Amino acid sequence: MAPTILIVGATGNTGQAVVETLPKLLQSSNALSDHRVIALTRSSKSPVAQRLAKVPGVEVIEKNWVDITSDWLREHQVTRAFIASHNEPNAFAEESTFHIAALNAGVKYVVRISTTAANVRPDCPAYYTRTHWAVEALLGSPEFTNLQWTSLQPNVFSSFYLSSAAEFIKQYRKTGKQGDLKLMASKDAPVGVIDSSEVGVFAAHLLSQEDPSVHNKAKYVLNGPEDITGQQIVDLVEQYIGTQVEKVSYQDTSFLDQMWEYQYAATNQSKNVFFSIKHAPVSAWEGKCSVSTTSKAVLEIAAPKITPTEALKGLLGE
């Protein structure tokens, strides 16, 4: 069996681009050309999984990543791994278990997806951002010296940031009527939203480095090529619908109320913990998430190119 690079979350926002990009990079590598890529999925029958299975050099395996053990990693000769964990309240327990398994199995290098850099701190009110801080602290401890790692801290994904604008446009085109345009963005703060696929492309470039030690313990901030404000989102919407938007709600987090009602209310999750997510966008509203924060290595290795205008066009299927 050949040495393996494991992609956890292969069918997710960032994972798809990792799977699609990595095999091509490995082909031109002197040290890693013999490595295979395993794309992990919970359902190999999903359309995305079936598409990824057609990528040369990729093997799709159906397995829930939270069940991965050191024995499984050794059995599949995993030497490097990518992981994009969930952001449920138990994320630290499950992701840290994965990293301990990787450490004990002799995995050499892990690239993980974190979150907005300004929020990755122990005192951030949003619970899931503290999870990422805790995982990075764990990986940075002396006990994990033998496991090299890089944490990617992308600012908000454009698909999430612009989704309400896209839906507003679609609804207006369908009915000719306007509802409220609800934006998570503030009116004036510039935010360097990034397409999730470009985060995956950068991760693939890191995983294909013959010597990743230069990136060990690095925390890279990723943004798209251009900032966008809430007012600029409104301007784009008006260009699409050909008239003025009648009512805009900035800094709107009402979508969380719907998430709670339809996904979490019937569970045993803490309502207090869940709604702490409302604090996550504050750093963006304060102007701390502009393209000026992008790490130099990101621009040198795989600079993002997809602008907010192009991202919105993509969401509209155009």
Side-chain angles (χ1 to χ4, degrees):
M1 185 180 294
T4 298
I5 300 178
L6 175 67
I7 312 301
V8 172
T11 59
N13 287 331
T14 55
Q16 293 181 51
V18 180
V19 176
E20 292 166 342
T21 307
L22 184 57
K24 299 175 184 176
L25 297 174
L26 295 179
Q27 288 175 6
S28 59
S29 170
N30 293 325
L32 303 172
S33 59
D34 62 335
H35 283 56
R36 63 178 185 150
V37 176
I38 287 182
L40 217 62
T41 177
R42 285 177 294 180
S43 174
S44 58
K45 296 180 180 179
S46 73
V48 174
Q50 291 181 350
R51 174 170 57 80
L52 295 178
K54 297 177 182 177
V55 177
V58 172
E59 178 184 357
V60 173
I61 292 181
E62 187 173 281
K63 185 178 182 64
N64 191 336
W65 70 269
V66 300
D67 297 326
I68 288 176
T69 63
S70 294
D71 287 342
W72 188 93
L73 292 169
R74 281 191 289 264
E75 177 187 344
H76 291 85
Q77 295 188 28
V78 175
T79 61
R80 300 184 180 192
F82 167 86
I83 179 168
S85 181
H86 56 76
N87 63 355
E88 303 285 338
N90 64 338
F92 176 80
E94 294 188 334
E95 187 179 345
S96 63
T97 297
F98 171 83
H99 293 304
I100 289 173
L103 175 68
N104 292 332
V107 174
K108 299 303 182 184
Y109 181 50
V110 171
V111 176
R112 67 176 297 273
I113 299 296
S114 183
T115 190
T116 306
N119 290 341
V120 184
R121 60 182 203 269
D123 63 338
C124 185
Y127 81 84
Y128 75 91
T129 65
R130 298 193 303 273
T131 290
H132 287 291
W133 170 82
V135 170
E136 291 175 358
L138 174 135
L139 290 171
S141 66
E143 291 82 357
F144 276 80
T145 300
N146 291 333
L147 177 61
Q148 297 187 70
W149 59 278
T150 305
S151 198
L152 307 187
Q153 300 177 330
N155 274 324
V156 64
F157 292 146
S158 52
S159 57
F160 180 57
Y161 209 65
L162 302 174
S163 61
S164 61
E167 290 306 312
F168 183 92
I169 294 167
K170 290 177 182 179
Q171 188 64 24
Y172 182 81
R173 286 175 168 176
K174 184 177 181 180
T175 67
K177 297 180 181 179
Q178 294 192 26
D180 293 351
L181 176 54
K182 298 180 179 181
L183 300 177
M184 183 170 62
S186 69
K187 184 176 181 179
D188 300 316
V191 177
V193 296
I194 184 168
D195 189 282
S196 58
S197 68
E198 298 196 298
V199 179
V201 168
F202 180 70
H205 276 80
L206 293 182
L207 289 165
S208 66
Q209 299 285 309
E210 294 188 6
D211 179 11
S213 61
V214 67
H215 304 291
N216 184 31
K217 299 183 180 180
K219 303 170 187 178
Y220 291 136
V221 179
L222 295 94
N223 294 287
E226 295 179 4
D227 286 323
I228 192 167
T229 66
Q231 181 61 62
Q232 289 172 324
I233 296 174
V234 174
D235 293 342
L236 284 175
V237 171
E238 291 179 343
Q239 289 177 27
Y240 273 103
I241 67 174
T243 188
Q244 187 174 2
V245 174
E246 297 170 357
K247 186 177 181 181
V248 184
S249 175
Y250 293 109
Q251 300 183 5
D252 192 290
T253 59
S254 60
F255 65 92
L256 291 172
D257 298 312
Q258 296 178 0
M259 283 181 62
W260 172 260
E261 181 179 355
Y262 293 107
Q263 287 184 244
Y264 296 97
T267 70
N268 292 324
Q269 302 287 7
S270 163
K271 188 174 183 179
N272 185 40
V273 169
F274 173 82
F275 278 105
S276 70
I277 298 174
K278 289 190 174 185
H279 297 281
V282 172
S283 57
W285 301 338
E286 293 174 341
K288 298 177 180 177
C289 301
S290 71
V291 297
S292 64
T293 62
T294 304
S295 295
K296 182 180 178 182
V298 176
L299 300 176
E300 293 175 341
I301 294 173
K305 300 176 181 178
I306 300 174
T307 66
T309 299
E310 292 168 335
L312 180 58
K313 187 176 181 180
L315 290 172
L316 294 170
E318 299 179 357

